[in-house]
């Protein structure tokens, strides 16, 4: 599951350029016994299996470096966001523990885990998919992975969603590109984009606006939108 992610697209390039290094560890290699058993029944009963502490701890001890920050993706963790992606992108070495089944023995979390992170209020079958989401969000923020321009106007910067984009053709499905984007007037285009970001955020993520840093002009725009919607519909 993880190999194709590291072998495609922008991540592939980052690996080829030597900006990102990765290693995938199968902790089954650290189990003892003839069946390479890594899970067992939960104490106290209940459905599912729990990953046994010994193979995991052997794998972590073997692969962890003094600078490793150990991440355990889990629905019980802190909710992941762009700020956490920024923070993790500054780390030298991240070690992700991918849980399966009913989870890990609590003692592994207490002993090794620095951050338990949830990517959303839903349950996935494995920690691999959640790890890929977290790694995808953070690696693109590392210097040299993508251009600084591409990161500038992105959603969540200044707590606003990104503005709408258009490309050729100018007319498509009975709808035209907003004329201001064809005007060549940079100041007008910037104002349109600011207004568009505010309108989109207001529509889809009004909860973000309390954190947004808005210019006077943007605040006026917001008030105008609120007037148009009517305060009772907020
Ligand atoms: N593992 C299973 N579900 C998850 C979630 N929502 N976030 C992080 N890890 C998970």
């Amino acid at each position: 599951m993880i190999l194709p992610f590291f072998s495609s697209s922008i991540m592939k390039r980052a690996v080829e350029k030597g900006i990102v290094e990765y290693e995938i560890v199968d902790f089954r290699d650290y189990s003892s016994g003839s069946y390479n058993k890594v899970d067992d029944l939960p104490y106290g009963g209940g459905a599912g299996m729990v990953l046994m502490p010994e193979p995991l701890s052997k794998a972590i001890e073997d692969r962890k470096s003094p600078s490793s920050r150990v991440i355990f993706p889990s629905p019980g963790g802190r909710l992941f966001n762009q700020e956490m992606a920024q923070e993790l992108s500054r780390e030298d070495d991240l070690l992700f523990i991918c849980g399966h089944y009913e989870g890990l023995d609590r003692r592994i979390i207490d002993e090794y885990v620095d951050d338990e992170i949830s990517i959303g209020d839903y349950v996935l079958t494995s920690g691999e998919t959640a790890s890929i989401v977290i790694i995808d969000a953070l690696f693109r923020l590392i210097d040299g992975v993508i251009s600084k321009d591409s990161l500038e106007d992105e959603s969540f910067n200044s707590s606003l969603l990104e503005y709408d984009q258009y490309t050729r053709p100018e007319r498509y499905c009975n709808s035209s590109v907003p004329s201001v984007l064809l005007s060549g007037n940079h100041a007008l285009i910037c104002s349109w984009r600011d207004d568009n970001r505010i309108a989109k955020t207001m529509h889809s993520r009004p909860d973000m606006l309390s954190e947004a840093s808005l210019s006077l002009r943007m605040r006026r725009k917001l008030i105008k939108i609120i007037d148009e919607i009517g305060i009772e519909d907020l």
Side-chain angles (χ1 to χ4, degrees):
M1 218 185 263
I2 292 175
L3 198 56
F5 170 67
F6 277 94
S7 319
S8 24
S9 187
I10 301 176
M11 179 54 105
K12 180 179 176 193
R13 245 190 301 138
V15 172
E16 282 170 357
K17 281 197 218 162
I19 302 172
V20 173
E21 282 175 36
Y22 70 97
E23 192 182 2
I24 302 169
V25 177
D26 185 354
F27 60 82
R28 202 173 278 277
D29 295 342
Y30 293 84
S31 68
S32 41
S34 43
Y35 295 105
N36 285 10
K37 186 175 161 66
V38 289
D39 58 355
D40 211 333
L41 296 166
Y43 274 118
M49 301 291 268
V50 178
L51 292 174
M52 294 155 67
E54 289 96 339
L56 263 177
S57 97
K58 277 188 199 153
I60 296 167
E61 291 288 350
D62 192 30
R63 304 303 176 112
K64 194 170 167 291
S65 76
S67 63
S68 296
R69 182 156 165 184
V70 180
I71 313 289
F72 171 46
S74 133
R78 252 187 335 136
L79 202 56
F80 189 56
N81 61 22
Q82 190 68 11
E83 203 181 324
M84 288 156 84
Q86 293 277 9
E87 194 201 322
L88 293 178
S89 73
R90 292 190 281 269
E91 293 287 341
D92 278 343
D93 185 30
L94 297 169
L95 190 153
F96 288 81
I97 304 175
C98 301
H100 275 234
Y101 320 105
E102 291 307 302
L104 312 187
D105 187 293
R106 179 73 221 178
R107 292 163 292 184
I108 287 290
I109 301 174
D110 293 341
E111 182 65 25
Y112 296 108
V113 172
D114 297 307
D115 303 90
E116 192 171 344
I117 298 177
S118 165
I119 60 160
D121 291 341
Y122 41 79
V123 180
L124 305 167
T125 49
S126 77
E128 278 90 341
T129 36
S131 296
I132 289 170
V133 168
I134 298 169
I135 295 166
D136 192 337
L138 73 88
F139 94 95
R140 57 194 295 289
L141 302 173
I142 298 171
D143 269 355
V145 171
I146 55 180
S147 79
K148 285 212 160 58
D149 289 355
S150 310
L151 298 175
E152 233 160 49
D153 293 325
E154 278 191 339
S155 292
F156 307 109
N157 286 353
S158 26
S159 290
L160 290 173
L161 299 180
E162 190 174 355
Y163 50 77
D164 289 326
Q165 298 275 19
Y166 296 86
T167 186
R168 271 182 275 267
E170 221 176 286
R171 217 174 145 66
Y172 172 72
C173 278
N174 278 333
S175 167
S176 296
V177 175
S179 56
V180 60
L181 299 179
L182 312 172
S183 69
N185 184 326
H186 189 63
L188 279 182
I189 293 172
C190 279
S191 302
W192 181 88
R193 286 180 167 166
D194 284 348
D195 292 356
N196 183 259
R197 293 183 80 185
I198 291 173
K200 280 183 74 175
T201 312
M202 186 71 212
H203 179 263
S204 305
R205 292 292 306 274
D207 56 297
M208 285 169 59
L209 284 166
S210 59
E211 299 290 315
S213 53
L214 302 179
S215 65
L216 187 60
R217 215 191 61 77
M218 287 163 108
R219 267 182 279 160
R220 287 203 177 113
K221 174 72 184 174
L222 180 59
I223 291 166
K224 197 161 159 248
I225 295 171
I226 294 172
D227 277 349
E228 280 163 15
I229 301 173
I231 201 83
E232 64 280 0
D233 292 329
L234 278 182

